[in-house]
Amino acid sequence: MSAKTQAKVLRVLEEQRFTPVGTNSPLKVDVRVIASTNKDLEREIEVGNFREDLYYRLNVIPFQIPPLRERREDIPVLTGYFLQDFARRYGRRPPELTSKAVEMLENYPWPGNVRELRNVMERFIIMYPQRRIDVFDLPESILRKTILTETAPESPETLQSARERFERGFIMEKLAECRAR
């Protein structure tokens, strides 16, 4: 939010009035604001990107929601909710995710957080007419990042485990390529 916009928001909160564009008469308002950000506002204040007075005006009841990657147990519940909701909106039957597909979704780091998960579920409803969504139906970006995460060795590998890891990655890559065609 620009410094100019921050000043305007602060003024509205403090004075409980604003002048709409195109008029000269201020309107009185009685509002409560729920604000969210993925930024560390205290850090943003230190570097001069956020007004300290606005921060304290907004920071009445703060709460932290951890990112989706730290709440993997929520993924099955959220996918079910989003699939049901979008199926209803688009007049379709909600598909079922296979357990392997859910496992892959749980292992994905979700850099776009819940919004990204929501968009993936909407894409399934719009683009996939089948009743079951399997691993190979997942977006390539999810497959690629999940496979790299899953196949990274945590301890010294044997030749056999290295070969299995390579074969698994190779097969998943080829399946994703086939699906993209």
Side-chain angles (χ1 to χ4, degrees):
M1 182 183 322
S2 73
K4 187 175 180 180
T5 303
Q6 290 178 44
K8 288 180 180 184
V9 170
L10 181 61
R11 192 172 319 113
V12 169
L13 292 175
E14 287 180 347
E15 297 175 6
Q16 294 187 326
R17 70 180 74 233
F18 75 102
T19 305
V21 175
T23 68
N24 293 327
S25 304
L27 291 178
K28 183 141 180 67
V29 292
D30 182 14
V31 297
R32 303 297 177 264
V33 175
I34 299 174
S36 70
T37 183
N38 60 354
K39 306 239 185 229
D40 178 353
L41 289 183
E42 290 173 354
R43 174 77 182 121
E44 294 296 307
I45 291 167
E46 287 175 17
V47 297
N49 293 335
F50 200 82
R51 293 179 61 123
E52 188 173 21
D53 48 357
L54 179 57
Y55 171 77
Y56 288 115
R57 188 60 128 139
L58 292 173
N59 197 28
V60 177
I61 304 175
F63 59 96
Q64 299 285 330
I65 299 176
L68 189 55
R69 69 182 163 275
E70 294 176 15
R71 301 180 287 131
R72 296 186 190 281
E73 67 279 1
D74 291 352
I75 291 172
V77 174
L78 289 169
T79 56
Y81 171 79
F82 290 137
L83 288 172
Q84 289 285 335
D85 185 49
F86 287 121
R88 182 184 47 74
R89 288 187 200 186
Y90 290 101
R92 305 228 172 119
R93 291 179 59 186
E96 175 187 329
L97 292 168
T98 65
S99 60
K100 187 62 183 166
V102 171
E103 182 182 331
M104 292 288 267
L105 293 173
E106 289 173 332
N107 290 324
Y108 180 66
W110 297 104
N113 222 332
V114 176
R115 285 184 196 93
E116 183 182 8
L117 176 65
R118 179 182 183 275
N119 291 344
V120 170
M121 296 304 109
E122 185 173 19
R123 182 180 316 148
F124 285 148
I125 297 298
I126 294 169
M127 303 295 292
Y128 295 91
Q130 65 264 29
R131 294 284 299 133
R132 289 176 60 89
I133 303 295
D134 204 353
V135 171
F136 315 111
D137 300 314
L138 297 176
E140 189 174 336
S141 59
I142 291 176
L143 289 174
R144 192 173 36 251
K145 285 184 182 176
T146 306
I147 291 166
L148 290 175
T149 303
E150 277 187 0
T151 59
E154 293 179 14
S155 58
E157 286 187 284
T158 63
L159 178 60
Q160 177 68 26
S161 65
R163 177 205 257 140
E164 288 171 2
R165 185 174 53 81
F166 172 79
E167 287 174 351
R168 177 185 170 117
F170 181 79
I171 290 168
M172 296 302 283
E173 225 175 82
K174 293 304 169 190
L175 288 168
E177 285 174 16
C178 289
R179 196 186 89 230
R181 289 184 195 159

